[in-house]
Amino acid sequence: MKLTNHGWSLKEMILLSSILMAFLLVAIFMIIRLYSGLNKSGITNTPVVHKYSYTEVENNLLEAALDYYNEYYDGEEDIRIESSKLRRKGYINSNELKANDEKKACEGYVVFSGYESKAYIKCDNFMTNGYEGD
């Protein structure tokens, strides 16, 4: 490249610009690849939305209520634990209470009587048999 008093020629400017653009494209590609790799490994905080069936939502609620029951109750019977209490205490989040076709999280409760426990949920499009409203 021969520099003159007139600056760079159009050919030289296009060549240098294309090299710069190639480096930028490679850098963008590498950043996207790195970010997706971090996301798959669970390092980033990008929330992953799972799609649960109604049965899975009931199971999620039951598992959270069992954890809560084991921590706060000592084998007591006839206990009813609401999903709102479990969310407030951090045992379950709204995503775990959201079923496939629902726009918002389901509400519900778990009843402990004797050695049995049963989860009941109420969603916009579904309600567990035996659900008793508040």
Side-chain angles (χ1 to χ4, degrees):
M1 287 189 259
K2 180 180 172 188
L3 293 178
T4 64
N5 289 338
H6 303 291
W8 292 346
S9 69
L10 182 60
K11 256 195 301 188
E12 292 165 336
M13 185 60 103
I14 290 174
L15 177 68
L16 291 174
S17 296
S18 61
I19 292 172
L20 180 63
M21 290 302 274
F23 281 121
L24 285 174
L25 288 174
V26 168
I28 290 171
F29 173 75
M30 295 303 281
I31 289 170
I32 291 171
R33 189 170 164 204
L34 174 67
Y35 182 75
S36 66
L38 292 175
N39 197 16
K40 286 179 185 173
S41 65
I43 294 175
T44 62
N45 288 337
T46 305
V48 177
V49 179
H50 296 282
K51 296 194 178 223
Y52 296 106
S53 67
Y54 294 111
T55 304
E56 290 171 327
V57 171
E58 288 175 345
N59 290 336
N60 291 343
L61 180 61
L62 183 60
E63 288 176 16
L66 283 169
D67 290 342
Y68 183 83
Y69 180 82
N70 289 332
E71 188 168 335
Y72 290 100
Y73 297 97
D74 188 27
E76 296 179 38
E77 294 183 10
D78 299 325
I79 303 293
R80 177 177 164 151
I81 301 173
E82 302 286 332
S83 62
S84 57
K85 179 183 271 189
L86 295 172
R87 283 198 320 223
R88 270 195 319 274
K89 298 282 187 175
Y91 284 87
I92 197 167
N93 62 45
S94 295
N95 287 337
E96 293 172 305
L97 291 172
K98 191 171 182 183
N100 287 338
D101 302 327
E102 300 294 328
K103 293 183 180 175
K104 61 182 185 175
C106 301
E107 292 296 322
Y109 59 90
V110 176
V111 174
F112 293 91
S113 58
Y115 291 105
E116 293 185 18
S117 55
K118 173 90 170 110
Y120 298 90
I121 61 170
K122 180 181 179 188
C123 308
D124 291 336
N125 301 318
F126 175 81
M127 184 170 59
T128 306
N129 289 336
Y131 179 89
E132 296 175 3
D134 297 336

